[in-house]
């Protein structure tokens, strides 16, 4: 209850009405003591300069006692009742969203259903008791991560997402949801805008009515639909590794930390998901069941082994245990062949630098093929590490055929943070923390025909004339009055910070004027191209894996990043925010809108769709 009141004061009425820093500091100290109640009897201390609460470590865990399934099971389509409609079916229990854009044009070929539920008996590790988590149910039981989608460009789908979280739940989190498919090219009404949260009894400020479910139209089109006039868009804009997660305003960190996320894999004729594809254009990368998503999340546990979260402090909680697909220190048994691993930093705040090592800590090579869901123009071979800020993805290919059966390997994180410090990573230290164990335990049942060719996906060339003509927009991410601000303002879901004409292109400058903080900046809806980076005004290299298309930009201390973005095909409201989920929940987010071209009606405008008005 205290969190809800503070949230409304701090972020729904604007910065000018916030309590003073002194009042807020006192509040945080008092609340931290209450939040730390599960740690009674253990030493706690606070640093007056940064208000970080020093907590005892999580209880010891039992390594390699639980196994991940040897293959994932994709979600299956279902028949929805009532039938999805263009406008919100409020009478049937749907939340009051805007009308689906391009509904008649795109349609949908398949329908799916996800349900957000509490599961009472999740086991993170045998050393900890079964406990409640929040997750998604598809065709089977509630899990975290939730069910994995196998979707295809040119095959639109509609996903009904029901909210059956308990209103009388215990502990942290809030029983409303707003599901964002990161970083789908979709209408704003299906984007999971933070103010579009809903439950059967509550509607966010950007919805017209509460509801038990909300229908999301995922057109599975490339960006550039209007520009190319080919019915699907520009194939150079394809994404592959997407994920969905809760995006409820003020509570994203808590709800995701509690389990509300999952994978959405998107294929086309190039990245087809079939290593035996006879199409000469197909890359034939390792495919299901040897295409395996892995989500990493930092967690903290109380002395009794129950998941802990500080829902009030703008510093959040730095986890000292790393879950892999919801399990601490699991085992994954693999066949002696090539695998594609889709690595996701699921947050809330830890950065990682992963290495693949032998039991004797000898580093092993792998091939890096995609960043932020975007295939690179060419693979980066013989890599030894992959670094991931929060919400960054890295697809790698590991060839286990070079190892004898019985070989054990470990995925190790060597990137450290200061104790309790969610602000930025510190340094890389050996030997690191082992988070996942691989055992090569069998020969593949059939010949491995997968490959990693020398060319992956072509990039659209940058046009110097287009760059020269592009307006430049500046976004400054900074600390202000103990909270996190964008351009000196805290998030207000009704305030439009930028109006952008549909079909336009801009250069956005992301600026971090502070030292001591890193911000993984996420722009919804479209990928961008990094044009350059500076630190204290001096140019620094853009790393090879960052030279393709991206949707998360790790903004280091005293850094400016220049990014080129286009805004195509849909209208409406979208956010830019820090994907350190603690920073996001404590106001480091801003709304920007895509507006119809004033010269005439937009081809994507439909009944009920608007760039600035809420439904």
């Amino acid at each position: 209850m205290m969190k809800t009141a503070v949230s409304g004061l701090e972020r729904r009425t604007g910065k000018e009405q916030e309590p003073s820093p002194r009042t807020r500091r006192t509040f945080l100290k008092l609340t931290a003591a209450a939040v730390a109640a599960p740690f009674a009897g253990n030493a706690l201390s606070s640093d007056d300069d940064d208000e970080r609460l020093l907590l005892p470590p999580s209880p010891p865990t039992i390594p390699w006692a639980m196994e991940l399934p040897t293959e994932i099971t994709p979600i299956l389509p279902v028949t929805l009742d009532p039938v999805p409609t263009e406008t919100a079916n409020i009478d049937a229990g749907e939340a009051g969203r805007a009308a689906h854009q391009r509904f008649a044009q795109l349609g949908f070929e398949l329908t799916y259903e996800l349900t957000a539920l509490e599961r009472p008996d999740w086991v993170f590790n045998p050393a900890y008791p079964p406990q409640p988590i929040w997750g998604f149910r598809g065709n089977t039981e509630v899990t975290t991560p939730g069910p994995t989608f196998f979707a295809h460009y040119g095959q639109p789908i509609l996903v009904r997402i029901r909210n059956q979280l308990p209103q009388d739940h215990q502990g942290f989190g809030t029983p409303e949801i707003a599901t964002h498919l990161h970083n789908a090219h979709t209408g704003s009404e299906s984007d999971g805008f933070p103010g579009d949260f809903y439950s059967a009894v509550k509607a966010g400020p950007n919805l017209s009515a509460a509801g038990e479910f909300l229908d999301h139209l995922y057109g599975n089109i490339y960006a550039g639909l209007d520009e190319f006039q080919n019915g699907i868009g520009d194939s150079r804009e394809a994404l592959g590794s997407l994920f969905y997660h809760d995006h409820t305003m003020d509570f994203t960190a808590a709800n995701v930390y509690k389990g509300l996320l999952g994978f959405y894999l998107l294929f086309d004729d190039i990245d087809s998901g079939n290593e035996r594809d006879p199409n000469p254009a197909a890359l034939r990368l390792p495919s299901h069941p040897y295409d395996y998503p892995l989500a990493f999340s930092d967690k903290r546990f109380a002395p009794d082994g129950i998941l802990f979260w500080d829902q009030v402090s703008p510093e959040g909680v730095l986890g000292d245990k790393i879950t892999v697909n919801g399990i601490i220190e699991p085992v994954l048994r693999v066949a002696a062949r090539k695998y594609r691993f889709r690595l996701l930093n699921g947050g809330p705040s830890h950065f990682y630098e992963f290495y693949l090592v032998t039991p004797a800590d000898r580093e092993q090579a792998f091939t890096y093929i995609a960043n932020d869901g975007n295939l690179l123009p060419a693979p980066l071979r013989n890599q030894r590490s992959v670094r991931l800020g929060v919400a960054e993805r890295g697809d790698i290919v590991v060839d286990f055929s070079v190892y004898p059966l019985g070989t054990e390997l470990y995925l190790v994180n060597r990137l450290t943070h200061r104790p309790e410090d969610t602000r930025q990573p510190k340094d890389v230290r050996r030997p690191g923390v082992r988070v996942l164990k691989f055992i090569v335990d069998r020969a593949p049942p059939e010949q491995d025909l997968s490959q990693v060719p020398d060319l992956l996906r072509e990039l659209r060339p940058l046009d110097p004339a287009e760059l020269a003509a592009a307006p430049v927009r500046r976004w400054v991410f900074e600390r202000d009055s103990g909270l996190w601000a964008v351009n000196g303002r805290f998030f207000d879901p009704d305030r439009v910070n930028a109006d952008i004409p549909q079909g336009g292109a801009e250069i956005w400058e992301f600026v971090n004027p502070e030292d001591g903080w890193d911000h993984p900046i996420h722009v919804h809806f479209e990928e961008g191209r990094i044009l350059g980076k500076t630190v204290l005004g001096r140019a620094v290299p853009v790393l090879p894996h960052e030279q393709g298309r991206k949707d998360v930009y790790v903004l280091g201390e005293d850094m400016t990043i220049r990014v080129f973005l286009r805004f195509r095909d849909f209208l409406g409201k979208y956010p830019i925010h820090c994907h350190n989920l603690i920073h996001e929940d404590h106001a480091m987010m801003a709304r920007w809108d895509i507006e119809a071209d004033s010269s005439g009606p937009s081809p994507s405008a439909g009944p009920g769709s608007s760039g600035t008005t809420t439904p």
Side-chain angles (χ1 to χ4, degrees):
M1 296 299 293
M2 186 177 295
K3 170 63 177 176
T4 302
V6 172
S7 167
L9 176 63
E10 292 170 351
R11 287 182 283 291
R12 299 189 188 181
T13 60
K15 170 184 165 183
E16 294 78 13
Q17 300 181 39
E18 290 176 351
S20 69
R22 181 184 299 272
T23 302
R24 179 172 174 79
R25 179 171 297 151
T26 302
F27 169 80
L28 287 174
K29 285 186 175 181
L30 292 173
T31 308
V35 169
F39 295 91
N42 293 273
L44 296 171
S45 65
S46 181
D47 186 324
D48 287 338
D49 292 333
D50 56 26
E51 305 300 329
R52 283 183 288 116
L53 187 69
L54 301 183
L55 304 170
S58 297
T61 48
I62 303 171
W64 328 130
M66 300 180 68
E67 296 195 3
L68 298 177
T70 57
E71 62 182 80
I72 59 172
T73 302
I75 189 172
L76 298 175
V78 297
T79 300
L80 296 178
D81 182 21
V83 174
T85 52
E86 181 175 3
T87 57
N89 193 347
I90 295 174
D91 291 342
E94 184 173 10
R97 56 167 172 81
H100 287 307
Q101 298 176 57
R102 296 189 181 268
F103 187 81
Q105 177 187 5
L106 295 176
F108 49 88
E109 297 184 18
L110 299 170
T111 55
Y112 296 83
E113 187 167 73
L114 288 176
T115 303
L117 287 160
E118 182 170 87
R119 176 171 171 167
D121 60 350
W122 188 261
V123 177
F124 289 100
N125 185 273
Y128 296 164
Q131 57 191 282
I133 57 101
W134 288 354
F136 288 102
R137 182 183 67 199
N139 306 109
T140 57
E141 62 184 350
V142 179
T143 60
T144 180
T148 298
F149 286 82
F150 281 18
H152 297 267
Y153 278 104
Q155 187 178 66
I157 68 172
L158 188 137
V159 182
R160 177 164 294 168
I161 303 181
R162 295 188 178 275
N163 182 2
Q164 295 182 6
L165 295 174
Q167 292 294 318
D168 59 349
H169 75 96
Q170 301 296 310
F172 58 86
T174 190
E176 296 82 47
I177 61 172
T179 308
H180 171 50
L181 179 53
H182 180 131
N183 197 40
H185 190 70
T186 190
S188 58
E189 67 283 353
S190 296
D191 181 65
F193 185 76
D196 284 351
F197 59 80
Y198 62 94
S199 70
V201 298
K202 185 178 290 188
N206 302 111
L207 296 178
S208 64
E212 188 270 333
F213 70 89
L214 195 145
D215 286 346
H216 298 66
L217 178 61
Y218 299 141
N220 295 332
I221 58 171
Y222 308 114
L225 183 67
D226 292 331
E227 179 185 3
F228 283 78
Q229 292 294 307
N230 60 0
I232 192 168
D234 184 355
S235 63
R236 295 170 297 185
E237 302 280 346
L239 286 164
S241 300
L242 295 82
F243 69 108
Y244 58 92
H245 66 84
D246 186 67
H247 215 317
T248 297
M249 185 172 70
D250 300 339
F251 289 91
T252 297
N255 285 6
V256 173
Y257 187 78
K258 209 160 182 174
L260 294 175
L261 82 165
F263 283 95
Y264 185 103
L265 310 185
L266 195 46
F267 302 98
D268 67 358
D269 61 341
I270 294 174
D271 187 7
S272 67
N274 179 9
E275 63 192 47
R276 295 175 177 267
D277 195 331
N279 179 0
L283 298 174
R284 292 173 42 205
L285 296 167
S287 62
H288 182 68
Y290 311 107
D291 180 354
Y292 203 105
L294 295 168
F296 303 88
S297 299
D298 59 293
K299 309 284 190 187
R300 196 61 171 256
F301 294 85
D304 59 1
I306 299 299
L307 188 64
F308 169 78
W309 181 252
D310 182 343
Q311 197 155 269
V312 178
S313 170
E315 298 298 332
V317 175
L318 184 72
D320 59 356
K321 295 293 182 181
I322 308 302
T323 61
V324 185
N325 289 0
I327 305 298
I328 300 170
E329 298 164 319
V331 173
L332 178 58
R333 297 181 180 273
V334 296
R337 54 151 291 152
K338 291 188 289 298
Y339 278 71
R340 176 181 185 171
F341 293 113
R342 303 180 190 242
L343 312 181
L344 161 67
N345 183 343
S349 56
H350 209 296
F351 284 49
Y352 303 107
E353 188 162 320
F354 290 121
Y355 294 76
L356 184 66
V357 302
T358 67
D361 201 36
R362 294 183 60 183
E363 295 173 5
Q364 306 297 293
F366 52 82
T367 301
Y368 196 158
I369 62 169
N371 178 260
D372 282 359
N374 303 278
L375 285 173
L376 298 170
L380 303 175
R381 302 190 189 275
N382 297 313
Q383 301 297 294
R384 302 284 173 162
S385 66
V386 54
R387 181 179 287 219
L388 299 176
V390 180
E392 280 193 296
R393 286 89 72 210
D395 291 21
I396 65 173
V397 174
V398 178
D399 189 354
F400 293 107
S401 70
V402 301
Y403 302 103
L405 296 185
T407 297
E408 297 180 355
L409 300 169
Y410 297 91
L411 195 67
V412 173
N413 173 49
R414 291 180 177 168
L415 189 59
T416 68
H417 286 244
R418 290 174 57 205
E420 319 306 330
D421 192 344
T422 63
R423 300 175 179 185
Q424 64 179 172
K426 185 180 178 185
D427 52 22
V428 175
R429 295 184 184 177
R430 299 184 68 167
V433 176
R434 295 176 175 181
V435 299
L436 174 62
K437 180 178 183 176
F438 296 105
I439 300 177
V440 185
D441 75 340
R442 64 194 184 278
E446 55 188 7
Q447 182 182 4
D448 179 6
L449 297 179
S450 69
Q451 61 181 16
V452 181
D454 291 334
L455 297 176
L456 296 174
R457 193 178 295 276
E458 176 187 4
L459 284 173
R460 178 174 179 168
L462 294 173
D463 181 351
E466 189 177 26
L467 293 177
V472 177
R473 194 179 300 273
R474 188 175 177 89
W475 303 93
V476 180
F477 299 83
E478 58 192 336
R479 181 89 161 185
D480 196 326
S481 302
L483 294 176
W484 308 96
V486 181
N487 289 349
R489 307 175 86 174
F490 302 142
F491 179 59
D492 180 342
D494 294 319
R495 183 178 59 230
V496 180
N497 295 270
D499 287 317
I500 302 164
Q502 186 189 36
E506 296 189 355
I507 294 172
W508 284 9
E509 291 185 342
F510 306 141
V511 181
N512 181 1
E514 315 270 3
D515 54 13
W517 293 277
D518 285 0
H519 302 297
I521 303 305
H522 174 43
V523 181
H524 283 219
F525 182 63
E526 288 255 18
E527 282 64 57
R529 297 278 298 278
I530 296 177
L531 302 177
K533 295 183 184 181
T534 59
V535 174
L536 295 173
R538 300 184 63 178
V540 296
V542 178
L543 299 175
H545 71 274
E546 297 178 318
Q547 294 177 18
R549 299 163 59 251
K550 284 185 64 62
D551 57 55
V552 176
Y553 311 89
V554 177
L555 186 62
E557 56 185 9
D558 301 310
M559 180 179 286
T560 296
I561 301 178
R562 288 170 57 87
V563 177
F564 178 70
L565 291 151
R566 294 185 177 89
F567 305 90
R568 296 165 286 183
D569 305 323
F570 293 98
L571 303 173
K573 61 188 187 303
Y574 297 92
I576 177 174
H577 61 90
C578 179
H579 222 296
N580 181 322
L581 300 179
I582 294 128
H583 296 183
E584 173 190 332
D585 280 353
H586 289 271
M588 189 170 263
M589 182 158 53
R591 169 180 167 175
W592 53 273
D593 284 17
I594 301 176
E595 296 280 3
D597 190 333
S598 59
S599 63
S602 165
S604 68
S609 65
S610 170
T612 56
T613 60
T614 55

